[in-house]
Amino acid sequence: MKMITLAGQQVPQLGLGTWGLGENKATADTALAALQAGISAGATVIDTAEMYGDGAAETLVGRLWQTVPRDRVFLISKFYPWHADPTEMRVALLNSLRRLKTDYLDLYLLHWPGDTPLAATVQGLNALKKEGLIRAYGVSNFDVADVQKWLAVPDAPLTANEVLYNVAERGIEFDLLPRHRQRGITTIGYSPFNSGSGDSIPVPDSLKALAAEKGVTVHQLLLAWTMRTDVLSIPKASTVAHMTANLAAADLTLSPTDLARIDQLFPGPTRKMPLHEI
């Protein structure tokens, strides 16, 4: 599996999303088995948030340490914008750590821009980092202007920005992705199938034909496309079968001809596009 740099560490480019996992007790064990399968195969980045199922996803992830060493996993969680001042942030983090059954996060993200002054948010994050409760921090759903405001705050290293990214949502390629690369910010792309939006990606016959030629499913093709460069992709898989399919996509190589065919169906941006989020 291809590796990329995140918070100064080499991590696999395929991560494990958890949005919606753990909310249904009847399927929680199945979802847990899927996460275990992904980790066993080397997909050792897990992305979650206090928002997901009001903590249900974090609680599910916390069950992993019964069978998986905590230090084998690069663990990411996110906090609400209304928890972005130093006091609320610390309470939110301690609640997340309790649900996750761990004493630290590898990466803590502000889930989307809010009203709390960024200087106060950075102050709180630096305090948590100094305390050893988090090892790095970043943001989510920040557009170029938001990133620039963050970087203007003193002593505010920005490790990563997690944003919507798939063949139907390529707007970040115009300006945000180049800015990330320029400043050494890792791009984490969520919803590679756009499934969380309720507006699924259209599948033209020519895309089905390309997948068939390569002996893969359309979903595997779409996932491999998100990982063709340096973006960390975090699809959700709620079953072992789905996880196995995602893992196979991580090993799929798309040729320049393949990519050109996909570009014809889903052209890249030629102007500034609004940053969409789910």
Side-chain angles (χ1 to χ4, degrees):
M1 192 179 300
K2 182 181 175 183
M3 307 294 282
I4 62 170
T5 301
L6 177 60
Q9 298 186 42
Q10 288 293 292
V11 301
Q13 191 177 15
L14 177 68
L16 309 179
T18 62
W19 187 13
L21 298 187
E23 296 180 30
N24 185 340
K25 292 183 178 180
T27 60
D29 288 347
T30 301
L32 183 66
L35 292 174
Q36 290 169 329
I39 294 168
S40 295
T44 53
V45 176
I46 294 181
D47 177 87
T48 190
E50 65 171 335
M51 184 185 81
Y52 298 167
D54 291 327
E58 290 182 324
T59 298
L60 180 70
V61 172
R63 294 174 57 192
L64 279 171
W65 321 133
Q66 299 171 16
T67 56
V68 176
R70 167 65 185 89
D71 60 5
R72 189 180 177 191
V73 171
F74 188 101
L75 185 57
I76 306 169
S77 194
K78 299 182 283 293
F79 59 99
Y80 284 118
W82 46 89
H83 291 160
D85 71 88
T87 301
E88 292 290 336
M89 183 192 306
R90 193 174 192 280
V91 172
L93 175 61
L94 291 177
N95 285 333
S96 286
L97 293 178
R98 174 180 50 79
R99 290 187 291 266
L100 288 162
K101 291 184 168 53
T102 184
D103 56 4
Y104 73 97
L105 291 177
D106 295 281
L107 182 60
Y108 202 30
L109 306 180
L110 171 58
H111 209 146
W112 62 87
D115 296 328
T116 301
L118 292 180
T121 300
V122 169
Q123 177 188 351
L125 288 167
N126 281 332
L128 296 176
K129 187 176 178 182
K130 185 176 181 180
E131 196 174 347
L133 297 175
I134 63 174
R135 293 187 171 178
Y137 57 79
V139 297
S140 182
N141 298 304
F142 268 48
D143 207 344
V144 173
D146 303 310
V147 169
Q148 287 303 105
K149 290 177 183 176
W150 182 282
L151 294 175
V153 177
D155 194 21
L158 188 55
T159 295
N161 185 12
E162 183 176 312
V163 292
L164 176 65
Y165 186 56
N166 55 61
V167 293
E169 293 287 351
R170 299 182 59 173
I172 66 169
E173 294 175 12
F174 184 78
D175 53 356
L176 184 60
L177 194 52
R179 183 60 55 88
H180 284 176
R181 290 169 177 154
Q182 180 186 36
R183 299 303 297 260
I185 301 166
T186 300
T187 305
I188 304 173
Y190 68 80
S191 204
F193 312 122
N194 216 44
S195 53
S197 68
D199 185 16
S200 59
I201 296 172
V203 183
D205 288 342
S206 53
L207 191 66
K208 296 177 183 177
L210 176 58
E213 289 171 21
K214 301 194 76 66
V216 299
T217 67
V218 170
H219 271 66
Q220 287 173 314
L221 188 66
L222 294 176
L223 180 55
W225 180 90
T226 67
M227 296 185 286
R228 72 198 187 285
T229 56
D230 55 354
V231 174
L232 169 60
S233 193
I234 50 170
K236 177 187 72 175
S238 57
T239 66
V240 172
H242 191 180
M243 181 64 71
T244 301
N246 287 351
L247 291 164
D251 294 326
L252 177 62
T253 299
L254 299 178
S255 70
T257 300
D258 297 332
L259 294 174
R261 289 171 66 177
I262 295 173
D263 283 343
Q264 287 182 332
L265 299 170
F266 301 96
T270 57
R271 58 183 174 81
K272 170 68 180 173
M273 305 289 289
L275 181 67
H276 294 158
E277 59 184 80
I278 298 175

